[in-house]
Amino acid sequence: MNAFMKNFSLEGKVALVTGASYGIGFSIATALSDAGATIVFNDIKQELVDKGIAAYQEKGIKAHGYVCDVTNEAQVQEMVAKIREEVGIIDILVNNAGIIKRIPMLEMSAEDFRKVIDVDLNAPFIVSKACIPGMIEKGHGKIINICSMMSELGRETVSAYAAAKGGLKMLTRNICSEYGEANIQCNGIGPGYIETPQTAPLRERQPDGSRHPFDQFIVSKTPAARWGTTEDLKGPAVFLASDASNFVNGHILYVDGGILAYIGKQP
Ligand code: NAP
Ligand code: GCO
């Protein structure tokens, strides 16, 4: 590897990816591992952590899995202390764990709204807060917040999700503002519509076998004319986790096949 390409290497780095036993988090974690990082992940249930460890093993990756609910500050502090003892200080944090509830606003309970904000916005605050002291101690750190197109746009039924992801964009900029001087870069990745269990209901085939109208809508709104895959997020994640992005801070990198650049097909 020549000196320039070494900038993209994550050799010797410890990366925590939250909620990464499958889906986008899993894919990003495998890419960070391919670039040389040691992978740590968490999930709420032991059963999912075990499944995750087996899935990483299948890819030849020895991942360290922890049971932890990212909305629980005491559990998060305990997990980060354990990781420090058992694996090392976290250099790279990917705040990936997230949920969505697709409910029209007038039908949504305040409790459901709060739950989404708790996982998608409060948790990245809690986990970042737990990891930043170690990063300051080490003299560097990378935080990647998994935002969304809903950090910019609204849509019927996703009021809580859009509020949380819009907030996460601003938390990203604020962490950059507060800790840039400590050589911590905090950026976001804003995936477009990606094929994962979270979006499966939007792609379900109709009873007559035809495509879901939302599926057709997304393909027609995307200049790339397809849904994204978790593979599409790997390069951007490695870039933002590596020294190649050391002067990129407070930025949201949209990986959306061009949706945000496009007004839509003319009639
Ligand atoms: P997913 O398939 O539903 O995976 C989300 C993961 O987060 C699951 O492993 C889930 O675990 C975990 N999680 C949820 N609540 C948690 C908690 N309190 N503590 C710890 N882990 C928790 O979702 P995905 O599609 O991969 O999405 C990953 C991230 O990308 C999310 O932040 C999502 O909002 C964002 N995103 C997704 C898309 C898309 O099109 N798919 C687009 C833009 C942004 P359980 O299975 O135990 O609940
Ligand atoms: C929805 C989708 C989105 C995606 C994604 C878009 O219902 O509109 O689920 O919210 O998950 O976050 O970037």
Side-chain angles (χ1 to χ4, degrees):
M1 197 188 298
N2 67 36
F4 174 72
M5 287 310 288
K6 275 199 184 130
N7 277 326
F8 291 89
S9 168
L10 304 179
E11 215 61 59
K13 301 280 166 67
V14 174
L16 167 63
V17 186
T18 65
S21 51
Y22 62 89
I24 288 175
F26 178 79
S27 184
I28 286 178
T30 60
L32 301 183
S33 167
D34 285 347
T38 299
I39 301 304
V40 184
F41 75 100
N42 74 292
D43 222 306
I44 322 177
K45 301 175 213 112
Q46 183 67 52
E47 166 200 344
L48 274 169
V49 170
D50 294 343
K51 268 194 182 163
I53 288 178
Y56 285 108
Q57 244 160 21
E58 248 176 60
K59 301 240 172 230
I61 298 167
K62 186 188 167 303
H64 305 259
Y66 293 83
V67 177
C68 172
D69 179 342
V70 287
T71 64
N72 182 318
E73 186 163 19
Q75 281 185 26
V76 169
Q77 289 285 352
E78 196 185 319
M79 173 180 72
V80 171
K82 255 197 200 162
I83 295 169
R84 186 187 176 114
E85 230 178 84
E86 295 170 4
V87 190
I89 294 178
I90 294 160
D91 304 277
I92 301 161
L93 164 65
V94 182
N95 281 310
N96 166 78
I99 59 168
I100 190 164
K101 289 184 189 288
R102 297 185 185 95
I103 307 171
M105 190 173 146
L106 298 186
E107 290 161 32
M108 189 170 209
S109 65
E111 196 189 339
D112 273 345
F113 191 92
R114 278 195 202 101
K115 179 73 196 156
V116 175
I117 300 286
D118 212 22
V119 180
D120 293 0
L121 180 58
N122 293 342
F125 161 77
I126 289 170
V127 187
S128 301
K129 185 182 157 194
C131 292
I132 287 171
M135 293 175 173
I136 293 174
E137 201 180 316
K138 268 195 141 173
H140 67 243
K142 299 277 185 184
I143 300 176
I144 303 172
N145 291 326
I146 304 303
C147 298
S148 161
M149 303 217 355
M150 270 59 203
S151 299
E152 300 293 339
L153 300 172
R155 184 175 93 67
E156 300 84 344
T157 75
V158 295
S159 58
Y161 187 78
K165 295 293 187 178
L168 186 56
K169 173 179 71 178
M170 291 314 299
L171 178 66
T172 302
R173 292 182 179 158
N174 216 82
I175 293 174
C176 151
S177 310
E178 275 193 68
Y179 299 104
E181 219 175 333
N183 194 24
I184 293 173
Q185 289 84 47
C186 180
N187 292 290
I189 290 179
Y193 282 81
I194 309 291
E195 291 170 353
T196 70
Q198 194 209 63
T199 53
L202 305 175
R203 282 175 286 106
E204 250 168 30
R205 289 274 163 179
Q206 299 297 88
D208 66 0
S210 63
R211 288 169 73 173
H212 194 295
F214 195 88
D215 181 358
Q216 291 174 2
F217 165 66
I218 288 306
V219 172
S220 74
K221 285 286 286 177
T222 309
R226 64 169 177 86
W227 283 67
T229 68
T230 57
E231 287 290 306
D232 292 318
L233 300 166
K234 289 183 166 184
V238 169
F239 168 63
L240 290 178
S242 74
D243 287 345
S245 62
N246 280 352
F247 204 52
V248 180
N249 210 351
H251 183 77
I252 311 297
L253 176 49
Y254 290 99
V255 184
D256 64 355
I259 301 190
L260 285 175
Y262 186 44
I263 194 169
K265 265 196 185 17
Q266 64 182 45

